Amino acid sequence: MMDYKYTELDYAKKIYENGFQSEQHKPTELRLVATYMRRILDYKPKKLREEMYQWCEIHIPDYKRELYYKMINSAINKACKKGSMLINIDQILFYQYEMDYINNLFIKEDADTQKESVYSYACKKLLFTLLFKMKANKLLSESKSIDKDFAYTGKYFKGGQKKYTELKRLAKLPEKVRINEDIIHTLWINDLVSPMHNGLIKLNFMEKLYELQDNKKENDNTISLEIKEYDSVGLYFDYYNKDKKVSFCKECGKIFKKRSNRQEYCSTECSKIIDREKAKKRMQVKRESKCSI
């Protein structure tokens, strides 16, 4: 469920065709199925209700309508609501002025000295990841808004322990680094974020980026990065900064961190696919050579 909101359409189709993907998120997945039926399959409300009950009978073991009535009814109501839709975000673009701003930041250790923090690079990776989340939220919000003039200018991150842990994983920060005590605290010292209450932080650095966006020249739209995978955002920052350990799989194209300089594939599965293809080619060459004799 972690990244489904960036590929809602694909995820909803997967649920519709194969059943629930997570037992913990049935209400959300029912809403996605209902929205898929309503917006993609174009079922009218009456037909939608019939198909939803039938779908649940197939995909929920020991299904009883009275137990799921409220959950299904809620999913149908949300699917029929004006503005409901399913979208995929194919890529998130980062521009040169954004990368320059983040990379050129001087992250000091504390308020009283000008010594650079040992967490400087990790702080920049987190800022990059937070910018990614703001960009993704912008695409989602503006795509789903029924107000054509709506412009998203998000500058807050709200999260408890679970969301901060996920943010750290998304940024690919070192395990030993503490996201709150080490990174958020250092960013606060540098006035790049402002902790508020209950896990809410104001992203001060976004205000500067919005200002740069408004003041940049029309032709200053150089694209520096295209992110197409949403579970390894921090690795893109490493790749941009020429980390030789970060590469793209020669089979599936996925970004990954190499365990050795010779590693070319992200997983054993991709490596096996290439090995099978090479074996087929060897057999084909062998058969052709025999036929030519």
Side-chain angles (χ1 to χ4, degrees):
M1 288 291 292
M2 179 188 62
D3 294 320
Y4 87 90
K5 66 179 180 179
Y6 303 137
T7 54
E8 279 188 329
L9 178 54
D10 288 347
Y11 194 76
K13 182 180 180 182
K14 186 175 183 179
I15 301 167
Y16 174 74
E17 294 177 347
N18 303 296
F20 290 109
Q21 303 299 298
S22 169
E23 288 297 317
Q24 298 178 348
H25 301 96
K26 278 186 177 180
T28 298
E29 296 198 358
L30 278 174
R31 175 184 62 80
L32 292 172
V33 169
T35 307
Y36 183 82
M37 292 181 179
R38 179 73 183 94
R39 302 303 175 189
I40 306 303
L41 301 182
D42 199 26
Y43 290 158
K44 302 304 179 186
K46 183 179 179 180
K47 175 69 171 176
L48 172 60
R49 190 171 296 276
E50 294 172 356
E51 291 295 326
M52 278 296 292
Y53 283 130
Q54 185 176 350
W55 186 91
C56 288
E57 288 176 2
I58 294 172
H59 294 286
I60 299 178
D62 302 321
Y63 167 76
K64 292 182 180 180
R65 182 176 294 193
E66 60 270 22
L67 296 179
Y68 286 88
Y69 172 77
K70 288 185 178 180
M71 194 184 297
I72 296 171
N73 197 51
S74 175
I76 292 172
N77 289 339
K78 290 176 181 177
C80 293
K81 189 176 181 180
K82 186 177 181 180
S84 70
M85 65 177 67
L86 298 168
I87 66 171
N88 285 340
I89 297 179
D90 296 325
Q91 61 184 3
I92 302 290
L93 302 178
F94 280 76
Y95 296 96
Q96 188 64 53
Y97 76 91
E98 295 170 326
M99 300 306 299
D100 287 345
Y101 168 74
I102 293 175
N103 270 329
N104 291 334
L105 286 170
F106 181 80
I107 311 291
K108 58 186 178 181
E109 189 174 79
D110 57 57
D112 299 324
T113 70
Q114 289 302 312
K115 183 180 179 181
E116 187 173 19
S117 171
V118 294
Y119 302 116
S120 179
Y121 187 78
C123 284
K124 292 176 183 181
K125 281 185 77 172
L126 190 69
L127 292 179
F128 176 81
T129 305
L130 287 166
L131 176 56
F132 162 83
K133 293 187 76 68
M134 294 301 104
K135 284 175 170 286
N137 289 342
K138 177 180 175 66
L139 287 172
L140 288 171
S141 300
E142 292 182 351
S143 297
K144 294 186 176 184
S145 176
I146 58 177
D147 180 1
K148 293 182 179 179
D149 296 324
F150 172 74
Y152 179 88
T153 54
K155 53 186 177 183
Y156 292 92
F157 177 79
K158 176 69 172 74
Q161 185 59 46
K162 184 177 180 180
K163 286 191 176 180
Y164 276 105
T165 299
E166 174 54 31
L167 182 64
K168 176 181 177 180
R169 191 205 63 77
L170 190 65
K172 297 299 181 184
L173 297 180
E175 188 63 35
K176 64 181 180 180
V177 170
R178 300 170 298 176
I179 188 167
N180 287 308
E181 297 88 338
D182 298 332
I183 308 304
I184 298 297
H185 179 73
T186 302
L187 291 173
W188 172 61
I189 289 172
N190 286 268
D191 197 32
L192 292 165
V193 305
S194 295
M196 302 184 76
H197 54 81
N198 298 326
L200 178 69
I201 57 173
K202 182 181 178 183
L203 309 178
N204 301 333
F205 78 95
M206 286 301 303
E207 295 179 338
K208 179 62 177 178
L209 283 173
Y210 288 137
E211 181 183 328
L212 290 173
Q213 178 181 307
D214 292 338
N215 294 332
K216 69 181 176 66
K217 298 177 181 179
E218 290 185 5
N219 61 354
D220 187 17
N221 284 319
T222 304
I223 297 172
S224 294
L225 276 177
E226 297 180 16
I227 295 184
K228 297 182 179 181
E229 298 163 46
Y230 307 136
D231 59 353
S232 302
V233 174
L235 290 184
Y236 283 89
F237 188 74
D238 293 332
Y239 178 79
Y240 177 83
N241 285 291
K242 305 188 185 312
D243 185 336
K244 293 182 179 180
K245 291 183 179 180
V246 177
S247 185
F248 291 90
C249 179
K250 289 192 174 182
E251 166 56 24
C252 69
K254 182 178 180 180
I255 194 169
F256 72 104
K257 193 160 189 173
K258 297 189 289 186
R259 293 185 297 274
S260 69
N261 292 333
R262 298 181 62 185
Q263 186 178 353
E264 296 181 322
Y265 308 104
C266 68
S267 64
T268 303
E269 290 73 19
C270 283
S271 180
K272 287 181 178 179
I273 290 173
I274 295 299
D275 288 342
R276 286 195 292 267
E277 290 178 354
K278 288 180 178 179
K280 286 181 181 179
K281 288 181 179 179
R282 287 196 298 270
M283 289 301 295
Q284 184 177 352
V285 170
K286 191 174 181 178
R287 285 195 296 268
E288 289 175 353
S289 61
K290 285 183 179 181
C291 292
S292 62
I293 295 175

